[in-house]
Amino acid sequence: MKAAEEEFDYIVTGAGSAGCAVAARLSESGRYRVLLLEAGGKDRNPWIHVPMGFSRLFADPNVNWMYESEPEAALNGRTMYQPRGKVLGGTSSINGMVYMRGNAADYDEWRQRGCTGWDYDSVLPFFKKAENQQRGASEFHGVGGPLTVSDQPRRYELADRVVAAAIEAGLPPNDDFNGARQEGAGYFQSTTGKSRRWSTATAYLRPARNRASLVVRPNAQATRVVIENGTATGVTYISGGISRSARARGEVIVSGGVFNSPQILQLSGIGPADLLQRMGIEVIRDVPAVGNHLQDHFYVRLAYRCTRPVTMNELANSLPRKILATARYMLFKSGPLAANGVTAGAFARSDPRLERPDLQFNFSPFSYASRGPSGAVAHDFPGFSLSAVHLRPDARGTVLLKSPDPLVPPAIRFNFLQTQYDIQALIVGMRMVRAFTKQPSLASYVAEEIVPGSSVSSDAEFEESIRRNALSNLHPVGTCRMGLEGSDSVVDPRLRVHGVGRLRVVDAAIMPTVPAGNTNAPTIMIAEKAAAMILEDARVMA
Ligand SMILES: Cc1cc2nc3c(=O)[nH]c(=O)nc-3n(C[C@H](O)[C@H](O)[C@H](O)COP(=O)(O)OP(=O)(O)OC[C@H]3O[C@@H](n4cnc5c(N)ncnc54)[C@H](O)[C@@H]3O)c2cc1C
């Protein structure tokens, strides 16, 4: 059955970190009608809005695509679980809420790769435009934007100790990782406001809910971009089991995220020609970079038994404490549920000869024995974790169709640990974590190292434990990367798909390289900049 076709100025496929922001900005003036399609439902699950509730969403099929990567040869055949938000707000509705932009030099590097307009000085105004910074406006921060960015609701004994220990180990203190300098140790800020998650659905869609120019359609999965004579003219989508289509007078903007954006381009005939032919899809344009250059941060977790009951394990293992914590949160918006899990950490270089940090350390007041379908099962004693994240891995992977059926997930391959640097950086990271735990401020809190355990001490043993335990840090990017035409890229610096009219990709997939930090804020910056460029181009065309 086919329903009647509607017409809009812009159609955005995917209401995630980027899609919500771009659709809200395009519809803001009321001059353009915008359709925002989202495969997932409304963000009604109450745990979405409670900062500590994110662990409840990690493997909930009602809000999560729950992808699984293909087996990784260098990781003893392990697959990498890939949660991705399938709900209004996308992954910004299920993520860990750390607000981090990466290093200024990451964006200068994008510019050096030919992406004019993407150096740090050019993108900083868009970070600031998005932002409502609790600390007030400054050279680096904005106020009055849709995205509330807050300090941790309070300081925590163990987080204080970890930060002090990292400083004792030689890192400088840093009270703003998004300010003048990235290197150092300190507390992280988060995308929360009044102790609630600030997803892009909250930030951008909620204020626009009565806007006639913005039609938000949840439970509507785009299946193909319609391309006529080399120009995108609309989309087909499935909603309520019915196949529908909508026409775009202006542009189609693909914002399905790092896995689904290349998938929908490939389904629409834009991608590696040999793959499309194998799938029986008509080749509209041979763009080998679609689904290529997948890059992600890679991390290894060290877990410690703590000598004192100052961790979240005590909460996780006690029903009365859970009831109390829930009551405190509901009544006063305070207590352990008011904080996002990753409160503090550090940035450092794995080699002093490097110009910028390539390691991030994340402290979590929680340690676990195993991670099952219902989440992580905490150790039955006080414990905490310190993760070393490699921010600049050489590894590159792919996202390629497995089937021409749009409802079949694509094949995701990371190819982690392909170079000696990728292994060495993590070994150094693990040794640095060990050094932190031996400093005066932290040593008395450490009863023993549980993972990987103090018997691991040689480089070969560290490497073995990395191959056994290290994981994707869930910051994948690059599958529709930006670059100049002819440079093995998908979109140009205005995010227009090479060789196809009126079609852009706007999300984390366009990043030419992964920034050295968490990827939600950079994705929202991309959406803000994209919206400004789209509106600018519309003015020129008018
Ligand atoms: C568990 C987890 C924790 C994380 N923690 C942090 C953190 O603390 N800080 C941080 O900065 N980053 C974090 N990240 C990463 C960050 O959230 C993502 O990089 C960012 O949200 C990506 O935004 P996006 O717009 O590219 O994709 P998404 O936000 O995933 O948006 C894509 C949207 O498109 C929808 N969609 C897909 N296909 C279709 C289709 N065919 N039709 C219609 N809709 C479709 C999806 O359902 C989704 O809503 C985390 C990620 C995960 C998974």
Side-chain angles (χ1 to χ4, degrees), residues 156-471:
Y156 302 90
E157 179 178 341
L158 197 48
D160 278 346
R161 293 290 174 153
V162 167
V163 171
I167 294 166
E168 285 160 3
L171 292 177
N174 194 337
D175 73 348
D176 184 5
F177 294 103
N178 303 299
R181 186 170 41 81
Q182 188 189 31
E183 195 156 22
Y187 272 83
F188 293 163
Q189 288 200 298
S190 67
T191 43
T192 56
K194 301 194 178 85
S195 295
R196 284 171 68 81
R197 174 193 292 275
W198 225 258
S199 69
T200 53
T202 298
Y204 288 89
L205 296 190
R206 201 152 292 171
R209 62 186 173 274
N210 297 323
R211 204 180 276 171
S213 54
L214 177 60
V215 176
V216 180
R217 198 155 289 161
N219 301 308
Q221 182 163 348
T223 48
R224 192 166 57 88
V225 179
V226 180
I227 298 164
E228 294 168 338
N229 302 320
T231 297
T233 57
V235 299
T236 58
Y237 64 99
I238 298 174
S239 173
I242 298 175
S243 173
R244 302 167 194 267
S245 61
R247 279 189 81 77
R249 281 185 291 265
E251 297 191 29
V252 173
I253 295 134
V254 170
S255 298
V258 69
F259 302 134
N260 295 92
S261 285
Q263 180 191 27
I264 198 171
L265 291 187
Q266 291 165 9
L267 289 167
S268 311
I270 304 163
D274 53 343
L275 170 78
L276 304 185
Q277 279 152 0
R278 270 204 315 280
M279 293 291 143
I281 296 169
E282 185 196 346
V283 180
I284 303 281
R285 190 159 167 106
D286 178 18
V287 187
V290 174
N292 256 303
H293 311 293
L294 174 66
Q295 188 186 12
D296 193 4
H297 298 147
F298 196 50
Y299 84 99
V300 61
R301 184 176 62 93
L302 290 88
Y304 294 89
R305 181 197 287 264
C306 186
T307 53
R308 299 170 209 201
V310 289
T311 77
M312 291 290 283
N313 286 8
E314 299 89 270
L315 174 69
N317 290 315
S318 155
L319 185 62
R321 282 185 201 228
K322 281 185 191 167
I323 293 169
L324 192 66
T326 308
R328 266 182 84 183
Y329 184 79
M330 286 173 73
L331 291 173
F332 309 112
K333 292 279 174 297
S334 68
L337 301 190
N340 66 319
V342 182
T343 48
F347 285 84
R349 288 167 289 158
S350 69
D351 183 324
R353 290 169 298 184
L354 292 174
E355 282 178 355
R356 49 189 148 135
D358 62 344
L359 288 173
Q360 179 174 350
F361 297 95
N362 292 325
F363 161 69
S364 160
F366 181 72
S367 72
Y368 53 87
S370 63
R371 195 178 263 293
S374 55
V377 182
H379 284 124
D380 58 4
F381 47 78
F384 67 93
S385 305
L386 271 163
S387 300
V389 186
H390 186 204
L391 298 168
R392 229 178 289 286
D394 289 328
R396 294 293 186 277
T398 54
V399 175
L400 301 171
L401 288 185
K402 263 190 207 165
S403 155
D405 179 348
L407 303 183
V408 174
I412 301 164
R413 273 191 192 80
F414 287 102
N415 303 320
F416 282 124
L417 299 186
Q418 291 305 296
T419 66
Q420 192 51 40
Y421 168 56
D422 287 0
I423 298 164
Q424 194 54 35
L426 279 181
I427 293 176
V428 174
M430 292 178 85
R431 289 195 190 281
M432 287 176 81
V433 169
R434 284 245 175 110
F436 299 162
T437 61
K438 297 202 161 45
Q439 301 304 318
S441 290
L442 194 54
S444 64
Y445 285 71
V446 177
E448 69 172 311
E449 185 179 287
I450 304 159
V451 184
S454 50
S455 64
V456 169
S457 61
S458 70
D459 274 9
E461 287 164 342
F462 275 117
E463 179 174 338
E464 217 279 301
S465 101
I466 289 166
R467 292 191 191 278
R468 207 156 13 92
N469 298 317
L471 292 170

